[in-house]
Amino acid sequence: MLQNNSLLKGKIDQLWNKFWSGGISNPLTAIEQITYLLFMKRLDDLDLKRISDAEFTGEEYTSKFDGEFTLPGTDQKVDKQELRWSHFKRMSAEEMLAHVQMKVFPFLKMFNGDESPFTHHMKNAVFIIPKPALLVEAMSTIEEIFEEIEKDANEGGQAFQDIQGDVYEMLLSEIASAGKNGQFRTPRHIIKLIAELVEPQIGQRITDPACGTGGFLLGAYQYMVTQLDKNKKDLQPDEDGFIRNSVSGLLTKEVSEMLNESLYGYDIDVTMVRLALMNLMMHGVETPHIDYKDTLSKGFKENNNFNIIMANPPFTGSIDKGDINESLQLSTTKTELLFVENIYNLLKMGGTAGVIVPQGVLFGSGKAFVEARKILVEKCELKAVINLPSGVFKPYAGVSTAILIFTKGGETENVWFYDMEGDGYSLDDRRIKLEGYGDLQDIVAQYKKRDSRIVSDRKDKFFFVPKKEVVAEKYDLSMSRYKVDVFEEVVYEKPAVILTKLKEMESEINTELSELEEMLG
């Protein structure tokens, strides 16, 4: 696992340092440029592997690097073979920088054809690595990273694609240093937990209306791919206790196309859209549907269109009142409340959502807060409220959050609460992996075998609360409202006994002091 590969982590740090010292200090700009290089390398590697596989099996395969590429705005044609990483990495530094800027990058931008979302969102992308030396050093480090991934895959048995995904996730984690627009990456183990609870299936329409770098969509994809192999005996759980992979022997062309048609993501930051597209493409999703859209605005019309929603929408900020989608009825401009209603609207009847919200949504007393919770309890089956420890989003934020699991159109009879005390990582800024899985696997096990007919003990970590009680509390969904605190009875000795003991101690101290004086005297 990447967690234990200090060499790989060191190489990734090295890559960051090279960009920093090379004059690209903005993490978002750096990750975008690094992503372009990773993408170029991965395209070449995957294409060469597919050529080799096709030769071995006798199947037909048309290389992405066959034929010529016409440079945009010119009549000049270039042999696509010259656009391979394995070709231009042998050039001199100055020649290479010009070649990548003027030929390879334009080819990359149009890689999926003129009409694809990828090409559309790459239109204004720029390659801004300024110095030949930085390009050479960055490419050299990426080569070393890929060699280490190959070695790790051969020795550890984890799929190359998954380790490469781990590396990319590690790079993406650097983005969150700014926590801009209230966005911060959702830890992968929390994404895996939510996927396990909402159980996305191949053929369903799945979305994240504020997708960032595509972590939830990738989590849904990996969950579905893993289901293809679920009957295999040799699948091993990862460091969080989940079984996940991005590749499967049963991932046929037809299944791949169905998976491609399952995943939809939207974000209001075009850089995030590009990163999400490349993140999913590097994991095997060939044509992901990621679009630059504000899902709260008037221009977004996808209501009643999705079976599964997994999301961690922005917690802070507000939207201009005049731009709010007419279908949103809550009288508020707070994005965390509008997203709750919006996710409800986007779900098909019978569709399920797993959404992370700040704790304030659970107990806020304002009219819009109460109305948002009323939607969850009265118009859905609110299945679970899972409290997360406040350190889950460190070092980016210390905000207290909860996971809501709800199904549109279902009937809420009892709400299941769970108080997660640990997630398998230290809850400080370092977030070091601890032994075991924390409460992750217990949450999955208890959620899947929960039975609201069974009377539960409110002193426990998890319990049910009847709907009528939640309604009576103005739809308050904070666990502390219903949990019974356990006070441990402490029996103290009688004052006379304590006084006697103090006198005995005083006598002993005086005796020892006298002995000490004699020794010194």
Side-chain angles (χ1 to χ4, degrees), residues 148-205:
E148 190 58 33
I149 293 173
E150 190 80 56
K151 189 173 148 205
D152 207 302
N154 291 336
E155 290 175 5
Q158 194 187 6
F160 181 98
Q161 200 157 299
D162 286 333
I163 304 172
Q164 178 228 307
D166 288 353
V167 169
Y168 191 62
E169 283 289 317
M170 204 166 174
L171 283 163
L172 290 179
S173 69
E174 297 292 326
I175 291 177
S177 59
K180 58 192 276 249
N181 300 332
Q183 295 177 359
F184 32 83
R185 273 181 69 259
T186 309
R188 290 181 76 208
H189 56 284
I190 300 298
I191 291 173
K192 286 183 278 192
L193 170 65
I194 293 175
E196 206 75 34
L197 300 178
V198 301
E199 301 180 287
Q201 304 297 313
I202 295 170
Q204 291 182 325
R205 282 175 66 88

Side-chain angles (χ1 to χ4, degrees), residues 45-105:
D45 287 355
L46 273 177
D47 191 72
L48 290 171
K49 183 180 184 303
R50 284 175 181 164
I51 290 170
S52 170
D53 289 349
E55 284 172 359
F56 180 73
T57 59
E59 292 176 10
E60 279 189 32
Y61 172 70
T62 304
S63 167
K64 303 282 187 189
F65 295 93
D66 274 1
E68 293 181 322
F69 173 64
T70 304
L71 298 179
T74 73
D75 295 328
Q76 187 184 346
K77 294 184 186 297
V78 58
D79 184 345
K80 287 185 184 176
Q81 294 296 328
E82 293 176 16
L83 306 177
R84 287 185 180 277
W85 174 287
S86 50
H87 175 85
F88 63 76
K89 76 173 185 180
R90 296 193 295 267
M91 293 178 171
S92 67
E94 282 75 11
E95 186 188 3
M96 186 197 294
L97 182 60
H99 182 75
V100 172
Q101 281 175 334
M102 309 304 293
K103 297 175 182 176
V104 181
F105 192 65

